[in-house]
Amino acid sequence: MAHIALYRTWRPQSFHDMVGQKHIVQTLQNALREGRFSHAYLFSGPRGTGKTTTAKILAKAVNCLNGPGVEPCNECDACVRITEGTVMDVVEIDAASNRGVDEIRDIRDKVKYAPTEVRQKVYIIDEVHMLTTEAFNALLKTLEEPPAHVMFILATTEPHRLPATIISRCQRFDFRRVSLEEQVERLRQVCADERIESDDDALAFIARLSDGGMRDALSLLDQIIAFSGARVTYDDVLSITGGMASDQFERLVMAIQDRDVGAALRLINTFMQEGKSADKCMENLIYYFRDLLMVKMVPGSQALTERILDVKRFAEVAQRFSADALIAMIDTLNYYQTEMKYSVQPQTLLEVALMKLCSQAGASSAPTGGSSADGAPASERQDGVVGQLMNRIQRLEEQLAQLLKQGVAPAASGPVSGVSSRPASAPAVTKKIEKLDAYLQGRDDPAFRNVVQQWSQVLGRVKELKITVHAWLVDGEPVSVHDSNVLVSFKSAMHRETTEKPANKQLIEQVLAEVYGQPYRLVTMMLRDWKAAADQAKPSDGPKEELLLVPEDEGASGGVKEEWINEAIQLFGEDLVKIKED
């Protein structure tokens, strides 16, 4: 007999078998007991938490020949055939592959006919959020006022994508992630019935990896049994899932705390040789630091005992770090994890992230006050921090001085190129950027006109290669060319930053070389900054116009002339008023 997957073999057939959804089971059983079940239900929640299973059990309960009752008997002809999926009046529809308006119209036309095999027609629409807008509109009226013999059960993992008009017509039940304790208990029961020996820490690790989904946990257990045979061990779980043991991370964290870059990189190299992926290492490392932070900030929490097998050992490691240091390290890892999505060398980014952590872990790793893990007093640690900050400031000042020598002007707010920040009443002081001046002159270059003429071809080719990159690049426009660089200005900072991502920039520069027949480098800036620099570069309109005061009456007295002068000074200021004697 062919093997049947564990998640199918152990699929609950009654409310009593359900795991971790007691609030939903109790509500539905009370409704069935009192005959108050609704015509439309919405089951929402994470994958593998029992939405479709509950829908089938409810369909059996309302159609059971010995009911309706709080539990289906699973013995009568109706229950057996609904379980097998051979009852025409209980229809399960996958909205992901039947999402059009025609399929929903077909349902709307058939609901008016009475059931032929059971007492209640039940339509189970799985992944209902995949329906089109037109399909939802076609479903609305039927969902609101269906015939008395029809029940709709909608299931989705993304309820926020459903129209409010659909949600308001249903009784909504939110399925929760199954707790680790309940998952481990069910996995232990499965292993016992399947005559498989198992270690508790192995089952706990499987449950943690499933992220609250019972189906995922059973699928993973099935895979591990196929690998390990009649005994499931912790090492087997680590081997088959690509996970890393807590003690491996402990050694890595100790290397970081000791600022031993060599040891940290050697551990990462060992992980890679064992077949671990860089992104998985990064994800697990973030979780490890998160657990350290939670042990430190919320000791004794029930949530910790679910994720951490040896809380005492974690607490000992957490004492070596301050809370601020752990938060800073999580921020750093999160940044590099995001960058990994755009990198063709994720292992390099992981190594860079670890080197960054080692540099952060110096004086800030030990809690404030007292002495550090190596016995150094707090005053020495603070002196070390001050020394590091002073060195950084000195390096920044040297870099700033170098930039100023190249003609780069400091800006008060934002990268407004070439314009100094001065009060409105003060004379304007212009500090031009030499490199930007070259781009301003490059607007008259014939190469720039060629770039502009063929820019639509660039956008079209980028769209063919990767439509998401095109969505960001289309916000920009070429404004100049200089020294094999194409300067593109953007209205949106987000579009500019995303275009500058290494993978996106590499693709765009590849297209530039392909379209223009020569290598071009992409340079970007904000459109408002470019316009400010271009306006500043415009020549002045000539000498200021002189203001001459000539009285209407040549014979007017000196007192009248003085009034004119005073009024002019009040209106325009002394700097702009020039008095000439007749």
Side-chain angles (χ1 to χ4, degrees):
M1 182 177 177
H3 172 70
I4 301 176
L6 286 181
Y7 80 86
R8 293 178 58 195
T9 304
W10 284 86
R11 190 171 202 169
Q13 299 300 326
S14 64
F15 289 120
H16 175 74
D17 296 332
M18 292 289 298
V19 179
Q21 309 299 338
K22 189 174 296 184
H23 62 296
I24 294 174
V25 169
Q26 182 176 340
T27 305
L28 292 176
Q29 286 185 325
N30 289 342
L32 288 165
R33 183 183 295 110
E34 299 173 9
R36 296 174 59 88
F37 43 87
S38 175
H39 68 281
Y41 292 93
L42 173 61
F43 293 166
S44 64
R47 70 181 189 277
T49 51
K51 299 182 295 297
T52 307
T53 296
T54 304
K56 288 187 174 181
I57 295 173
L58 180 59
K60 288 192 291 185
V62 298
N63 286 307
C64 180
L65 298 181
N66 298 318
V70 295
E71 290 280 9
C73 69
N74 287 318
E75 296 177 355
C76 67
D77 182 65
C79 288
V80 171
R81 294 183 59 211
I82 291 175
T83 301
E84 295 172 349
T86 58
V87 176
M88 296 180 60
D89 295 320
V90 178
V91 184
E92 185 176 355
I93 301 169
D94 176 22
S97 54
N98 298 278
R99 60 195 304 261
V101 66
D102 293 335
E103 289 85 352
I104 301 302
R105 283 175 178 164
D106 183 60
I107 295 175
R108 187 183 61 187
D109 294 339
K110 291 179 179 178
V111 294
K112 56 189 175 183
Y113 300 114
T116 58
E117 299 178 88
V118 290
R119 70 171 67 92
Q120 192 89 6
K121 262 190 176 182
V122 181
Y123 287 92
I124 302 172
I125 306 180
D126 204 5
E127 301 298 334
V128 69
H129 63 270
M130 296 295 290
L131 292 179
T132 63
T133 303
E134 294 78 9
F136 276 125
N137 292 335
L139 183 62
L140 274 177
K141 191 63 178 176
T142 303
L143 196 63
E144 183 177 25
E145 297 177 357
H149 56 263
V150 175
M151 175 186 291
F152 284 95
I153 305 176
L154 314 181
T156 178
T157 55
E158 301 181 41
H160 58 277
R161 293 177 57 181
L162 270 63
T165 49
I166 293 289
I167 296 176
S168 64
R169 288 164 166 80
C170 303
Q171 282 191 15
R172 177 172 173 174
F173 291 88
D174 292 322
F175 285 68
R176 302 168 183 167
R177 297 184 188 276
V178 183
S179 69
L180 185 139
E181 183 180 349
E182 291 175 311
Q183 282 187 304
V184 170
E185 184 60 34
R186 174 52 67 93
L187 292 175
R188 190 180 293 117
Q189 179 185 353
V190 171
C191 289
D193 284 14
E194 297 288 333
R195 297 181 181 179
I196 301 294
E197 295 183 22
S198 59
D199 297 341
D200 287 344
D201 54 353
L203 299 182
F205 194 78
I206 293 173
R208 284 202 302 276
L209 291 177
S210 68
D211 197 24
M214 196 66 239
R215 182 177 63 224
D216 289 3
L218 289 171
S219 296
L220 191 54
L221 176 62
D222 203 2
Q223 182 180 0
I224 293 166
I225 290 174
F227 171 79
S228 62
R231 180 172 179 80
V232 175
T233 65
Y234 185 64
D235 291 337
D236 288 338
V237 176
L238 292 177
S239 178
I240 198 67
T241 61
M244 281 154 281
S246 178
D247 58 341
Q248 291 179 302
F249 275 120
E250 184 176 332
R251 292 198 300 272
L252 181 58
V253 170
M254 290 300 100
I256 292 171
Q257 202 271 339
D258 295 335
R259 308 184 72 181
D260 190 346
V261 177
L265 294 181
R266 284 194 295 272
L267 282 169
I268 291 300
N269 187 54
T270 302
F271 294 160
M272 298 300 106
Q273 290 180 352
E274 291 175 356
K276 312 295 192 297
S277 62
D279 55 344
K280 197 69 176 177
C281 286
M282 182 72 82
E283 178 185 348
N284 289 339
L285 191 57
I286 291 175
Y287 275 126
Y288 189 88
F289 276 110
R290 178 260 183 196
D291 291 339
L292 289 179
L293 182 62
M294 296 303 294
V295 167
K296 190 172 191 66
M297 301 297 291
V298 196
S301 170
Q302 170 115 22
L304 297 177
T305 58
E306 288 193 354
R307 286 188 51 84
I308 303 172
L309 297 178
D310 192 348
V311 178
K312 183 178 179 181
R313 193 169 176 180
F314 261 78
E316 293 173 356
V317 178
Q319 286 178 359
R320 299 171 66 96
F321 296 89
S322 67
D324 290 340
L326 291 172
I327 292 172
M329 290 177 176
I330 292 173
D331 284 340
T332 299
L333 291 172
N334 185 62
Y335 170 79
Y336 283 102
Q337 185 186 39
T338 304
E339 292 296 314
M340 271 187 175
K341 300 175 183 177
Y342 308 100
S343 175
V344 295
Q345 294 291 340
Q347 181 180 343
T348 302
L349 281 182
L350 175 60
E351 293 167 345
V352 170
L354 288 177
M355 288 187 279
K356 185 80 171 176
L357 294 187
C358 289
S359 66
Q360 291 177 353
S364 62
S365 60
T368 304
S371 60
S372 63
D374 56 3
S379 59
E380 291 185 12
R381 294 200 318 274
Q382 292 172 358
D383 290 342
V385 174
V386 173
Q388 288 182 356
L389 292 176
M390 293 301 294
N391 290 335
R392 291 182 65 183
I393 292 172
Q394 183 178 356
R395 288 197 299 270
L396 289 172
E397 288 177 345
E398 291 173 356
Q399 294 173 4
L400 180 59
Q402 185 67 26
L403 290 174
L404 290 173
K405 286 180 182 179
Q406 297 175 0
V408 179
S413 61
V416 181
S417 304
V419 181
S420 64
S421 177
R422 296 294 296 254
S425 60
V429 179
T430 303
K431 296 182 180 178
K432 295 185 177 180
I433 299 178
E434 181 181 349
K435 293 183 179 179
L436 190 55
D437 284 345
Y439 282 109
L440 291 170
Q441 296 171 4
R443 293 177 294 180
D444 301 326
D445 194 325
F448 173 59
R449 289 194 290 271
N450 180 51
V451 167
V452 174
Q453 290 172 359
Q454 300 187 61
W455 186 247
S456 60
Q457 298 179 29
V458 173
L459 293 176
R461 180 58 179 155
V462 170
K463 188 174 183 180
E464 291 176 4
L465 295 177
K466 197 167 185 180
I467 193 169
T468 53
V469 179
H470 171 269
W472 303 113
L473 182 61
V474 75
D475 179 68
E477 59 175 299
V479 293
S480 182
V481 171
H482 169 62
D483 194 20
S484 297
N485 295 332
V486 176
L487 179 61
V488 179
S489 64
F490 287 83
K491 300 175 185 176
S492 165
M494 181 177 67
H495 286 70
R496 177 193 175 193
E497 291 171 4
T498 309
T499 304
E500 283 282 3
K501 295 286 186 183
N504 297 344
K505 188 174 182 179
Q506 181 180 359
L507 183 144
I508 295 170
E509 290 178 348
Q510 172 189 335
V511 172
L512 291 176
E514 180 181 328
V515 172
Y516 297 122
Q518 67 177 82
Y520 272 111
R521 182 171 173 268
L522 177 68
V523 182
T524 67
M525 69 181 300
M526 296 303 297
L527 181 60
R528 61 176 180 272
D529 300 336
W530 172 255
K531 288 182 177 179
D535 291 342
Q536 182 182 335
K538 290 181 180 177
S540 60
D541 296 334
K544 297 178 180 177
E545 182 180 355
E546 295 181 352
L547 179 62
L548 301 178
L549 299 178
V550 180
E552 294 180 3
D553 186 359
E554 291 293 339
S557 64
V560 174
K561 184 183 295 184
E562 181 128 357
E563 287 183 8
W564 277 84
I565 294 173
N566 291 336
E567 186 174 353
I569 291 174
Q570 290 179 1
L571 288 173
F572 303 106
E574 292 181 355
D575 294 338
L576 297 179
V577 176
K578 186 175 182 181
I579 303 172
K580 286 189 176 182
E581 297 292 341
D582 292 339

